[in-house]
Amino acid sequence: MGEVIDSAARESDTARHFLRQWIAEDVEAGRTGGLVVTRFPPEPNGYIHIGHAKAIMVDFGMAKAFGGVCHLRMDDTNPSKESDEFARSIQNDIRWLGCDWGDHFYCGSDMFDQMYEIAENLIKSGHAYVCSLSQEEWKKYRGIPTEPGTPSPYRDTSPEENLDLFRRMRAGEFAEGERCLRAKIDMASPNIHFRDPVIYRIVRTPHYHAGDKWCIYPMYDFAHPIEDALEGVTHSMCTLEFEVHRPLYDWVVDRLDEMGLLVVRNGVKIRPQQREFARLNLTYTVMSKRKLRQLVEEGKVSGWDDPRMPTVCGLRRRGYTPVAIADFCERIGVSKYESETDLALLEYCVRDDLNKRATRRMAVLDPVKVVIDNFPVGETRYAEAANNPEDPSAGSRKIPFGRELWIERDDFREEPEKKFFRMAPGREVRLRGACLFTCTSLVKDSEGKVVEIHGTYDEQSQGGNASDGRKIKGTIHWVSAAHAVPVEVRLYDRLFTVPAPDGDPEHDFTEFLNPDSLKTVTAYAEPAVAEAAVGEYYQFERVGYFCVDPDSAPGKPIFNRTATLKDTWSKLSSK
Ligand code: ATP
Ligand code: MG
């Protein structure tokens, strides 16, 4: 899947963004020591989603664009929500997206010893102190941006006393919340994050990776710049909410510089730099891991990989391809402006890709029977059709047909409206690849519902073409009733009924769950469908794109609908 990350690295109009310019300037000025190093730093507290995919494309894409490397780092400093399951799934999903971190896999938790030592150094140099204010008091003392905060009464404790307290914090002598370590910066700063932020707190939870060695853990704002600096990262890209944290990031890097801890590469001291870009927001979706987790835990979806979830594993199970996701990320581009992206754009991208790779088959989702009265009873003939008209190398297959067929109920009207050109009494239509058929009579049940459509076929219309060249307006798909394979088809729709489910403070986002987001039907499909294998992409002609679900048994494929064929974005397509 190298093609995926190549496309993220390629410089197209949309990819010529401010981050690329920023890195290019640093490379030119020789500030990278000859190697651009970026990182993707997920917290293993959930499965990654399409928003993370955007960050991944930026981080791995920029490294590739400048011939550098991108590190994958578990940003695992909060033991209470993290797990090995999440850490593993993240690696699996990023690999599937086509990104390769080589040997550069790191865990923030592997640096806990160094972080602890750095914290002690800060205490010794008078840059940090142990504070005993409760969290409530601490917030009150910190104040509001427009007025200076109040210094903690513990601010001017001596380094010796602080060192003793900090070591006792580590030794487990205090309860959670009883003490914390704070950086001593500026209680009057208009930037609230600069007002003596907490850098270590007590959490009495074992860590999924570091075990039970620690009962104190570094805060993200302290850990992140240390991780970047010690790994020799040159460019640290994240989402806009971290912009106000940047002065603190730089403050920590300054302290590391004073301690002589910055990596030197080819004689150049590497000072990691942080820049921010707008996060991806998608309509009809929630993206916060906390909310996705809630959906899973409350059983609103079948799991993190439910095909309705915006998670990477959910999209994969739904039938989205890495190429489609990368294409989507490129189209939305990178900017500093918050915006909402229409889910329809993602759907457009997957149709565009699946059109090239999906195997064509015929399947009928809502069947009604057609009987060809002048077709010999018991005889089977074969129509020939390309497996993928976009890809001649995919070959063709023979599709059996006989006297009785299934067609979509919606392809028939007893009283056709204007512009309805499909099957109707007295009208000739093409049965795709097979023959021309004219409906002559109907069989209805006691409620007046059509149960059988009878008619005749033109014996000269081999392959569905009229021998005299007369024009046939409607072409519909069909499946031979005698050969049909029943298959389970899961029809997915948007998970929420409103564009911004978490944008209403009066209502919980779960109130907007779409009750019709999953409908399961039994479809009749042509025999070749029985051979479908898990993960394969299909187009059921005229119906939509489908992917074979991992729940399938051999010979009994289950199909997830990836997207319908309707393409409302085609007018906007620039490709
Ligand atoms: P969430 O809010 O969903 O829990 P997070 O930001 O806490 O996400 P992390 O695992 O910390 O999740 O994110 C790893 C990286 O992915 C961060 O650098 C973050 O900026 C980026 N990221 C997270 N969500 C998005 C998004 N919607 N769009 C773009 N980048 C994102
Ligand atoms: Mg985060």
Side-chain angles (χ1 to χ4, degrees), residues 471-527:
K471 249 188 129 59
I472 308 296
K473 268 199 168 157
T475 299
I476 64 175
H477 64 280
W478 50 271
V479 168
S480 164
H483 306 88
V485 178
V487 290
E488 180 178 331
V489 174
R490 299 174 180 171
L491 302 171
Y492 296 102
D493 202 345
R494 298 175 170 181
L495 188 52
F496 294 95
T497 53
V498 296
D502 52 3
D504 183 345
E506 310 268 291
H507 296 274
D508 186 66
F509 72 100
T510 54
E511 289 177 40
F512 301 109
L513 279 165
N514 176 6
D516 301 319
S517 60
L518 169 59
K519 231 170 65 188
T520 301
V521 300
T522 300
Y524 292 128
E526 63 172 277

Side-chain angles (χ1 to χ4, degrees), residues 35-68:
L35 187 69
V36 168
V37 181
T38 63
R39 89 288 169 264
F40 176 66
E43 184 181 359
N45 62 349
Y47 284 65
I48 53 169
H49 51 61
I50 179 82
H52 294 114
K54 169 177 173 172
I56 289 165
M57 293 300 157
V58 170
D59 294 330
F60 282 87
M62 286 304 95
K64 177 109 192 199
F66 290 95

Side-chain angles (χ1 to χ4, degrees), residues 385-533:
N387 285 324
N388 184 350
E390 303 283 320
D391 174 13
S393 73
S396 64
R397 84 257 183 219
K398 289 194 177 339
I399 312 166
F401 74 98
R403 183 179 157 90
E404 296 194 356
L405 310 173
W406 297 110
I407 66 161
E408 299 285 353
R409 185 167 285 281
D410 191 49
D411 279 334
F412 177 80
R413 294 281 190 286
E414 192 171 358
E415 289 168 32
E417 61 267 24
K418 239 183 165 183
K419 298 210 169 150
F420 182 91
F421 299 117
R422 290 165 278 162
M423 194 182 287
R427 169 155 337 141
E428 189 169 47
V429 289
R430 176 179 298 109
L431 295 172
R432 166 120 172 78
C435 62
L436 299 174
F437 172 88
T438 306
C439 163
T440 52
S441 67
L442 299 173
V443 178
K444 296 182 181 177
D445 65 12
S446 57
E447 280 151 28
K449 189 174 162 190
V450 174
V451 289
E452 269 180 23
I453 299 163
H454 283 254
T456 54
Y457 83 111
D458 171 358
E459 293 180 24
Q460 308 306 316
S461 61
Q462 276 283 339
N465 298 314
S467 51
D468 61 0
R470 68 182 181 279
K471 249 188 129 59
I472 308 296
K473 268 199 168 157
T475 299
I476 64 175
H477 64 280
W478 50 271
V479 168
S480 164
H483 306 88
V485 178
V487 290
E488 180 178 331
V489 174
R490 299 174 180 171
L491 302 171
Y492 296 102
D493 202 345
R494 298 175 170 181
L495 188 52
F496 294 95
T497 53
V498 296
D502 52 3
D504 183 345
E506 310 268 291
H507 296 274
D508 186 66
F509 72 100
T510 54
E511 289 177 40
F512 301 109
L513 279 165
N514 176 6
D516 301 319
S517 60
L518 169 59
K519 231 170 65 188
T520 301
V521 300
T522 300
Y524 292 128
E526 63 172 277
V529 159
E531 296 153 22

Side-chain angles (χ1 to χ4, degrees), residues 314-361:
L315 293 170
R316 173 169 66 233
R317 188 165 177 184
R318 174 84 170 248
Y320 278 71
T321 60
V323 169
I325 294 172
D327 179 31
F328 170 73
C329 292
E330 194 189 328
R331 282 166 188 271
I332 55 178
V334 177
S335 86
K336 284 199 87 85
Y337 304 101
E338 286 286 356
S339 63
E340 284 257 296
T341 301
D342 198 322
L343 187 59
L345 178 60
L346 184 57
E347 289 166 358
Y348 168 79
C349 292
V350 76
R351 283 187 191 106
D352 193 47
D353 186 42
L354 289 181
N355 182 45
K356 292 170 210 137
R357 64 177 86 228
T359 303
R360 271 53 168 184
R361 293 288 182 260

